[in-house]
Amino acid sequence: MIRQYKYPPVYEWKSLCERPLQNQENLSEQVKSVFDKVKINGDKALKFYTEKFDKVSLEDLKVSESEIIEAEQSVSDELKSAIKIASENIRKFHNSQQEEKKIIETTKGAFCWRESRVIESIGIYIPGGTAPLFSTVLMLGIPANIAGCKNIALCSPPDKNGKINPTILFTANLIGIKNIFKVGGSQAIAGLTFGTETIPKVDKIFGPGNQYVTSAKQLALNYNLAIDIPAGPSEVLVIADESSVPDFVAADLLSQAEHGTDSQVILLSNSEKIINEINIEIKKQLKDLPRKEIAEIALQNSKSILLNSIDEAIQFSNIYAPEHLILAVENAENFTDKIKNAGSVFLGNYSPESAGDYASGTNHTLPTNGFAKNYSGVSLDSFVKKITFQNITKKGIQNIGKTIELMAEAEELMAHKNAVSVRLKYLENES
Amino acid sequence: MIRQYKYPPVYEWKSLCERPLQNQENLSEQVKSVFDKVKINGDKALKFYTEKFDKVSLEDLKVSESEIIEAEQSVSDELKSAIKIASENIRKFHNSQQEEKKIIETTKGAFCWRESRVIESIGIYIPGGTAPLFSTVLMLGIPANIAGCKNIALCSPPDKNGKINPTILFTANLIGIKNIFKVGGSQAIAGLTFGTETIPKVDKIFGPGNQYVTSAKQLALNYNLAIDIPAGPSEVLVIADESSVPDFVAADLLSQAEHGTDSQVILLSNSEKIINEINIEIKKQLKDLPRKEIAEIALQNSKSILLNSIDEAIQFSNIYAPEHLILAVENAENFTDKIKNAGSVFLGNYSPESAGDYASGTNHTLPTNGFAKNYSGVSLDSFVKKITFQNITKKGIQNIGKTIELMAEAEELMAHKNAVSVRLKYLENES
């Protein structure tokens, strides 16, 4: 079912690493027209599109206090405490990403440092549909919380009864998000971009979504907003050797495959035996999956590749640059230094991707589609800016003044030079 | 000459903070056609455009070893040592941005951490024209160096004699950049995006440029590249009180104004007296500036605003979100906590923007146009990705397994759940 390759020559690796071509329908015109309408008509436009796309007519876009209370009651205590445990772990890990101020005296009398400042207003988009992605509320809401975001607006499309999934509401409320709006698709992103009577304008938009949402986030960039990372279908690359448990690897590959028909899973190994065993396990496990049809299609895009060694597998993986990389090999920690491009890495037999998706504490908003070469996943850094500061003393400017003057002059920027010269002259007269 | 405002009411601040509308000529079609040609014809297209736009016909796009040696000889020793001093400071400051690995045990047996990995291939664009911006070579090349970038390609347009400014070549060579290409404009960005016979394809493009370069960098995003930060005209906001020296502030404002006709300078103060004195100084200093005509036009877009207090000025500045913020006030360091949005901040009377532009060690590639609200300036972070790692022990997965299972089930992702269940079952049988 997964296409198998044996010892492909190195010159074929690059093409083996290519993602399946995405359905690049040009949605930008359609999305632009939604933006234009939302910009002019605000809430009216949002309600119009909600009726059109979500098939529900809403009086009020904002989730009410009583809806949140109601939602809280409908979530089981067991699930509630699971969500709390996960949120503690996510909080611990993202808390550790805070940076302390380091003041560097680069030249005697010239002190330079960086300080983090929160991005004050952010939007979080949570898709609707069958799977209610409350885990993404944790992954985006908790670092926003730690960073100190003042204004967090969460948008998610309503169902046909005009409701948002109760677990999403419970989770948002748990981490103190009060502004939750029943609006989805490109109209939600447009609302966050311009602001409406109900939805606040934000400075940065986070969260996954379908192709309309993705296209809308791209368009928001043109209006001076920032976004988390470019989007693409989810993917995992597993490197397995004879020490790995076929049952586990099969389950990991399937957990990625069930995400969507466009998901991609790659299996690399130095053992043909283990590849065969994993394939047998995949077939076994697939039978019982509720999302079997989705996973089956995803597996058709997928590959298992037999290579000479784990080192070679890591070289291949660095070219692929997977969103998730599972190193299900003996002494996995010995290979970490060789990993150059990946979103999140899972070491050993007992670190399934699911752990990072939900509860170990790492973020699950990660670069896909090869973007692990040039983008980091979401972290506390995504919610702050780092501002540089400098404090130069009289002595300091006397120490580096001449350097600045010479360089400014060579760049033919005499006013830049003069900003130093006036100070040096003043200090000369003073002494 | 600078337009003056006195105690504008708070509701007017937002409109006072608006940047002058930029000439939003739609260049994207033109730039797209350059991209298409470079993608297909490679070097041939680059040479064609170089002849068309830079009016010079080149045999070889790559700067030769002998050109570098020649350049080295033509730079004065004084300037060379200034560049070396600046580069030491920049190196010190960016070195301090390295992050040490912190392993966090989020749950007993679940270990999570981040590691930085370099973005291996980057492109640096350095504009040509009158002012040879060798300082930008330092600001981008040095952190790239520290991060360990393997492939650094520097592009800069040739002059009519087919040469690149010697100080640019000297500086690039000083920090070990060997691949320097004589190509500018959108064709240079296209070359870095697709790669040609001579120019390597890169993963991220850095550096300033005119509107064609800016538009081309935007377009490169569509081909899975990353860019440093969105571009906009340079700007400074100075907050002055009676303790500031009018001569200094005038020089700082002019050093920004000389950048380009679209530069913007804002002066805020709680003292009408000091505003007037600064204005007198501006007129005096302007007379002698070689780039007087440019500065004069820039000053027409500029504003001085009298406010009630320094606190109020900082509130205003936070709305404006300046690229450069100079706090030329008494005890400037007492106000830093109140600064929410800025690219780089200069404290006190002896920290001119020029210091950060050249030699104090901070980076001068900063967010403009209000992007200081949601973007950081360039730093070591811009040249790396941070990869998350996790290593979960048998005990660890037993500790958080149930939490993951419950959450995966509630999201209706049963294969995600199963990836944990198979492991828990296996461990149960093992014991």
Side-chain angles (χ1 to χ4, degrees):
Chain A
M1 179 177 17
I2 296 188
R3 210 179 314 172
Q4 303 207 19
Y5 298 82
K6 286 182 195 174
Y7 308 113
V10 174
Y11 64 83
E12 274 178 15
W13 289 12
K14 216 184 136 196
S15 73
L16 284 170
C17 285
E18 270 165 23
R19 278 34 175 203
L21 269 188
Q22 281 181 255
N23 190 2
Q24 285 284 12
E25 255 186 280
N26 200 344
L27 309 167
S28 56
E29 265 177 54
Q30 211 175 322
V31 170
K32 180 71 168 64
S33 113
V34 171
F35 267 55
D36 291 344
K37 292 246 171 59
V38 171
K39 188 177 181 180
I40 296 167
N41 297 325
D43 281 353
K44 215 181 119 196
L46 295 181
K47 287 176 185 170
F48 168 81
Y49 288 117
T50 303
E51 194 156 348
K52 184 170 173 189
F53 299 128
D54 301 308
K55 314 289 177 204
V56 59
S57 162
L58 294 177
E59 268 292 307
D60 203 342
L61 295 169
K62 190 172 171 179
V63 172
S64 69
E65 197 63 48
S66 67
E67 281 175 294
I68 291 172
I69 293 167
E70 209 180 293
E72 294 234 20
Q73 287 160 353
S74 79
V75 178
S76 76
D77 287 341
E78 213 182 16
L79 181 56
K80 277 181 187 167
S81 73
I83 293 173
K84 282 176 192 164
I85 291 168
S87 79
E88 281 310 301
N89 290 348
I90 297 165
R91 193 170 292 276
K92 251 182 247 169
F93 186 59
H94 288 79
N95 251 329
S96 78
Q97 293 162 7
Q98 308 214 46
E99 230 182 50
E100 56 181 323
K101 187 163 122 181
K102 286 185 256 180
I103 300 181
I104 308 298
E105 192 172 6
T106 53
T107 288
K108 205 107 190 98
F111 301 90
C112 302
W113 68 95
R114 295 198 297 172
E115 294 184 24
S116 289
R117 291 291 185 278
V118 67
I119 298 174
E120 288 199 311
S121 301
I122 64 149
I124 294 179
Y125 187 82
I126 302 293
T130 47
L133 299 181
F134 59 85
S135 59
T136 304
V137 180
L138 296 177
M139 294 295 175
L140 300 175
I142 290 173
N145 227 247
I146 295 170
C149 287
K150 269 192 197 156
N151 313 307
I152 306 178
L154 189 152
C155 292
S156 193
D159 65 18
K160 277 176 193 152
N161 304 313
K163 297 283 178 194
I164 289 179
N165 177 286
T167 317
I168 289 178
L169 295 185
F170 165 77
T171 308
N173 191 51
L174 178 72
I175 52 179
I177 300 173
K178 300 285 173 207
N179 288 317
I180 308 169
F181 304 102
K182 298 174 192 171
V183 55
S186 58
Q187 62 273 23
I189 306 303
L192 294 167
T193 300
F194 303 114
T196 69
E197 300 89 321
T198 306
I199 296 185
K201 176 192 171 355
V202 301
D203 294 318
K204 190 167 184 175
I205 298 176
F206 294 80
N210 61 19
Q211 49 186 349
Y212 294 94
V213 171
T214 299
S215 172
K217 280 172 69 186
Q218 246 8 71
L219 188 57
L221 291 174
N222 294 356
Y223 299 93
N224 291 7
L225 270 75
I227 63 168
D228 44 4
I229 27 177
S234 198
E235 60 202 22
V236 71
L237 185 150
V238 182
I239 301 179
D241 65 10
E242 295 232 343
S243 80
S244 62
V245 185
D247 209 13
F248 297 0
V249 177
D252 291 336
L253 295 171
L254 286 169
S255 76
Q256 191 56 54
E258 78 171 342
H259 261 301
T261 53
D262 55 3
S263 290
Q264 215 192 6
V265 310
I266 307 279
L267 170 62
L268 307 180
S269 182
N270 57 353
S271 158
E272 192 164 6
K273 177 171 162 278
I274 207 89
I275 291 180
N276 291 334
E277 288 171 7
I278 291 165
N279 266 304
I280 293 167
E281 279 302 324
I282 289 177
K283 274 180 211 145
K284 255 198 245 169
Q285 289 183 19
L286 187 61
K287 281 196 313 239
D288 302 324
L289 286 186
R291 294 166 72 93
K292 183 181 156 176
E293 280 76 24
I294 292 172
E296 263 171 347
I297 299 173
L299 288 175
Q300 284 161 20
N301 295 327
S302 298
K303 300 173 182 120
S304 76
I305 304 173
L306 181 63
L307 295 165
N308 291 302
S309 64
I310 300 307
D311 274 335
E312 215 180 80
I314 289 178
Q315 283 163 38
F316 185 99
S317 172
N318 285 333
I319 297 171
Y320 185 82
E323 180 190 11
H324 306 97
L325 167 59
I326 301 180
L327 275 188
V329 299
E330 222 174 346
N331 301 321
E333 53 286 358
N334 292 353
F335 294 94
T336 52
D337 284 351
K338 293 177 176 155
I339 297 165
K340 293 177 182 173
N341 301 313
S344 197
V345 183
F346 302 79
L347 302 174
N349 280 330
Y350 294 94
S351 306
E353 189 202 307
S354 300
D357 286 342
Y358 290 110
S360 63
T362 58
N363 210 291
H364 76 197
T365 307
L366 295 165
T368 60
N369 202 30
F371 282 118
K373 285 199 184 97
N374 43 11
Y375 286 88
S376 306
V378 164
S379 71
L380 187 59
D381 299 339
S382 314
F383 298 86
V384 299
K385 305 94 58 174
K386 292 185 182 167
I387 303 180
T388 48
F389 287 82
Q390 60 202 284
N391 198 345
I392 303 180
T393 63
K394 290 178 181 178
K395 203 82 208 125
I397 197 72
Q398 283 173 325
N399 285 333
I400 51 167
K402 186 77 193 151
T403 296
I404 301 166
E405 286 182 321
L406 279 163
M407 292 175 74
E409 193 171 341
E411 286 195 355
E412 297 173 33
L413 294 170
M414 298 309 282
H416 281 65
K417 179 186 178 184
N418 196 45
V420 171
S421 308
V422 293
R423 286 168 166 95
L424 295 182
K425 214 176 296 164
Y426 186 95
L427 289 173
E428 230 169 81
N429 293 337
E430 209 187 46
S431 64
Chain B
M1 182 177 15
I2 296 188
R3 208 176 320 167
Q4 305 209 15
Y5 299 81
K6 286 183 196 175
Y7 307 114
V10 174
Y11 64 83
E12 275 179 13
W13 288 11
K14 215 183 136 197
S15 74
L16 284 171
C17 285
E18 270 164 23
R19 281 21 177 214
L21 267 188
Q22 281 180 257
N23 190 2
Q24 284 285 11
E25 255 187 281
N26 199 346
L27 308 169
S28 55
E29 264 176 56
Q30 210 175 322
V31 170
K32 179 71 168 64
S33 113
V34 170
F35 268 55
D36 292 344
K37 293 243 170 61
V38 171
K39 188 177 180 180
I40 296 168
N41 297 326
D43 281 353
K44 213 180 121 198
L46 294 182
K47 288 176 185 171
F48 168 82
Y49 288 118
T50 302
E51 193 155 354
K52 183 170 173 190
F53 299 129
D54 302 308
K55 314 287 177 207
V56 59
S57 162
L58 294 178
E59 268 293 306
D60 203 344
L61 294 169
K62 191 172 172 181
V63 172
S64 68
E65 197 64 47
S66 67
E67 281 176 294
I68 291 171
I69 294 168
E70 208 180 295
E72 292 234 25
Q73 287 161 351
S74 80
V75 178
S76 76
D77 287 340
E78 212 181 16
L79 180 57
K80 277 181 185 166
S81 74
I83 292 173
K84 282 176 191 165
I85 291 169
S87 79
E88 280 310 301
N89 290 345
I90 295 165
R91 193 170 292 275
K92 253 183 244 170
F93 186 57
H94 289 79
N95 251 329
S96 78
Q97 293 162 8
Q98 308 215 45
E99 230 181 50
E100 57 181 323
K101 186 163 123 181
K102 287 184 257 180
I103 299 180
I104 308 297
E105 191 172 6
T106 54
T107 289
K108 203 103 191 101
F111 301 89
C112 303
W113 68 96
R114 296 199 295 172
E115 293 185 23
S116 289
R117 290 292 185 277
V118 68
I119 298 174
E120 289 199 313
S121 302
I122 65 151
I124 293 180
Y125 186 83
I126 302 294
T130 48
L133 299 181
F134 60 85
S135 60
T136 303
V137 180
L138 296 177
M139 294 296 176
L140 300 175
I142 291 173
N145 227 244
I146 296 171
C149 285
K150 268 193 200 156
N151 314 308
I152 306 178
L154 189 151
C155 291
S156 192
D159 63 20
K160 277 175 195 155
N161 304 314
K163 297 283 178 194
I164 290 180
N165 178 285
T167 317
I168 290 178
L169 295 184
F170 165 77
T171 309
N173 190 51
L174 178 72
I175 53 180
I177 300 173
K178 300 285 173 208
N179 288 317
I180 308 170
F181 304 101
K182 298 174 192 173
V183 54
S186 57
Q187 62 272 24
I189 306 302
L192 295 166
T193 300
F194 302 114
T196 69
E197 300 89 324
T198 307
I199 296 186
K201 175 191 170 357
V202 302
D203 294 318
K204 190 167 183 175
I205 298 176
F206 295 81
N210 62 19
Q211 50 187 348
Y212 293 93
V213 172
T214 300
S215 173
K217 281 172 70 185
Q218 243 14 68
L219 187 59
L221 291 173
N222 293 356
Y223 299 92
N224 291 7
L225 271 74
I227 62 168
D228 44 3
I229 27 176
S234 197
E235 58 202 22
V236 70
L237 186 150
V238 181
I239 301 181
D241 65 10
E242 295 231 343
S243 81
S244 60
V245 185
D247 209 12
F248 297 180
V249 177
D252 291 336
L253 295 172
L254 285 169
S255 76
Q256 191 55 54
E258 78 171 344
H259 260 300
T261 53
D262 55 2
S263 289
Q264 215 192 7
V265 309
I266 306 279
L267 169 63
L268 307 179
S269 181
N270 58 353
S271 158
E272 194 165 3
K273 178 170 161 280
I274 206 89
I275 291 182
N276 291 334
E277 288 171 7
I278 291 165
N279 266 302
I280 292 167
E281 278 302 326
I282 289 178
K283 274 179 210 147
K284 255 198 245 168
Q285 291 183 19
L286 188 58
K287 281 196 312 241
D288 302 325
L289 286 185
R291 294 168 71 94
K292 182 180 158 178
E293 280 75 25
I294 292 172
E296 262 171 348
I297 298 173
L299 289 174
Q300 283 161 21
N301 294 327
S302 299
K303 300 172 183 121
S304 77
I305 304 174
L306 180 63
L307 294 164
N308 289 301
S309 65
I310 298 307
D311 274 334
E312 215 179 80
I314 288 178
Q315 283 164 37
F316 186 100
S317 172
N318 284 334
I319 297 171
Y320 185 81
E323 180 190 10
H324 305 96
L325 168 59
I326 301 179
L327 275 187
V329 300
E330 221 173 346
N331 300 321
E333 54 284 2
N334 293 351
F335 293 95
T336 53
D337 284 351
K338 291 176 177 155
I339 297 166
K340 293 176 180 172
N341 301 313
S344 196
V345 182
F346 301 78
L347 302 174
N349 280 330
Y350 294 93
S351 306
E353 190 202 307
S354 300
D357 286 341
Y358 291 109
S360 63
T362 60
N363 210 290
H364 77 197
T365 308
L366 296 165
T368 60
N369 203 29
F371 282 117
K373 286 198 182 97
N374 42 12
Y375 286 88
S376 306
V378 165
S379 72
L380 187 61
D381 300 339
S382 314
F383 297 86
V384 300
K385 307 93 59 174
K386 291 184 183 169
I387 303 181
T388 49
F389 286 82
Q390 58 203 286
N391 198 345
I392 303 179
T393 63
K394 292 178 181 179
K395 205 80 208 127
I397 196 71
Q398 284 174 324
N399 284 333
I400 51 167
K402 186 79 193 149
T403 296
I404 301 166
E405 286 182 321
L406 279 164
M407 290 174 76
E409 191 170 344
E411 286 196 354
E412 296 172 35
L413 294 170
M414 299 309 282
H416 281 66
K417 179 185 176 185
N418 196 46
V420 171
S421 308
V422 292
R423 286 169 166 94
L424 295 182
K425 214 176 294 163
Y426 187 95
L427 288 173
E428 231 169 79
N429 293 338
E430 207 186 44
S431 65

